[in-house]
Structures are given as structure tokens and as C-alpha cells.
Amino acid sequence: MNLGQLTEVQMGYPFRSRLEHDPQGDVAVIQMKDIDDANLLRAEDAIRVTLPKGKTHHLLRSGDLLFRSRGRSNGAALVAEGIGPAVLSAPMLLIRPHDVLPAYLCWYINAPATQAHLAALAEGTSVRMISAEALKALEVPLPALTVQQRIVQAAALAEQEQTLLARIATLRQRLTTHILMKFAYEATR
């Protein structure tokens, strides 16, 4: 199936003017800078604005995916529970899954093979962009829900393993440095 059959894809909210932070604003505005290199949403530092009346259909929901359509990275971030009132700003794309597990779809979009495929679809010379239409045409394998859940769990465990291995490497390096420094000082006595 293609992404357009499994989701609703739409452009983020098109603010007409430069965004000015309003501490009393009723919504957070999610921009590309609010998604880190690991495709995690960091909404706590998002600027706040007052959303015009009647625009509540633009509010983000838990399970939405936020897609960086421009730039060097075209990953997706999953909106978790408890984000509070927030909107996505253009030119980012909002992906609202209907017939697929959001975490599975997020994993699939961020997988290296899919990222390579998306990079080939990008248009433009100085700023590479993936259009909503190109994204909607992305083929997505759709296993049973239980398989989607297993894939998400396995991917989370693999990511946790990488984090732990990096921590072990850092601690091993510190230990090695400490032992060698101790050896160096003891050898000069």
C-alpha cells in the first residue's frame, strides 16, 4: 500500500508572518528545530503563539507524525501523549495515520532504506524538498498489527542496545585512560 492510502498527509499551518514568541500564547508552534537528529520531538522549547479562532483542526494529536520535508534530513517524529495544544508549521508535513500503527510507520519512514528512497525523490538543487504528493506515493509494507507491534518493540530494543553500547564504550575509554595515567605516574616514581 502507499502512504496516501494509510494516512492523511497535509502541509503544516501556513503562518502569514514572522513568528514572534508570546509567553501567553495558547499553542506551541513546532518547527524543524524542535525535532532533534534522532527524530525526537522536543516541544518544551517551542515558541508559543495565539492561534486564530476557528483553526483548531490544525492542532496536533497523539500518534501524528511530523515529517521534515526540507533539508538534509527527512525523518519523521512521533507525537506522544501529553504534548498539549500545538500546531505544526509549514513547510513541515503532518502525517495522520489511520490504518497503520503510528510507531511502526515512524520506524519505517526513518529506516535507512526508506530514507535512501526518499532522498532519491527529493527535488531542488540548493534546498532539497520532498513534496506531499511524493510522500503519499511512498510504498509501505503493511503487516498484521501484531507484527507491526513486534517490529516496533524490536526496533526500540535495538536502539536501547546502541545507547548502552555507546555508554559502555565511553566508560571503557575513561577507565583505560585512568589506568594508563595511574601507570604513567607510578612509573615515574
Side-chain angles (χ1 to χ4, degrees):
M1 301 193 90
N2 64 41
L3 189 74
Q5 295 170 303
L6 301 171
T7 68
E8 177 185 328
V9 177
Q10 65 188 36
M11 182 68 72
Y13 186 79
F15 289 93
R16 302 281 182 229
S17 59
R18 186 172 183 268
L19 291 171
E20 297 290 336
H21 180 65
D22 175 5
Q24 304 304 314
D26 56 357
V27 297
V29 178
I30 307 301
Q31 302 174 74
M32 282 194 234
K33 68 176 182 62
D34 299 314
I35 299 174
D36 68 16
D37 290 339
N39 295 311
L40 297 174
L41 176 59
R42 305 286 182 205
E44 55 276 357
D45 294 327
I47 67 167
R48 299 194 69 79
V49 300
T50 299
L51 193 65
K53 300 293 182 221
K55 302 294 183 180
T56 56
H57 64 280
H58 286 282
L59 292 176
L60 298 177
R61 303 176 195 161
S62 171
D64 284 346
L65 301 181
L66 313 179
F67 182 76
R68 289 181 283 198
S69 61
R70 294 189 181 161
R72 62 177 175 78
S73 174
N74 299 114
L78 181 63
V79 175
E81 292 284 340
I83 186 173
V87 295
L88 183 66
S89 70
M92 294 182 67
L93 297 174
L94 172 63
I95 303 170
R96 188 159 281 158
H98 297 299
D99 299 319
V100 61
L101 190 65
Y104 167 77
L105 186 58
C106 189
W107 166 81
Y108 181 77
I109 290 171
N110 292 329
T114 307
Q115 284 294 301
H117 180 70
L118 289 170
L121 297 175
E123 302 169 346
T125 52
S126 61
V127 178
R128 307 285 287 158
M129 183 190 97
I130 297 172
S131 70
E133 293 308 312
L135 187 60
K136 287 177 188 177
L138 178 68
E139 289 293 321
V140 178
L142 189 63
L145 185 60
T146 55
V147 175
Q148 291 178 42
Q149 290 168 332
R150 280 192 223 128
I151 289 171
V152 168
Q153 290 168 344
L157 288 171
E159 189 173 315
Q160 184 179 15
E161 177 190 33
Q162 291 306 309
T163 301
L164 290 171
L165 288 173
R167 179 81 175 129
I168 289 169
T170 299
L171 292 173
R172 184 178 293 133
Q173 179 62 42
R174 282 186 197 162
L175 178 62
T176 301
T177 300
H178 176 74
I179 290 170
L180 292 176
M181 289 296 272
K182 184 177 175 185
F183 180 70
Y185 280 110
E186 288 174 357
T188 59
R189 291 188 192 156

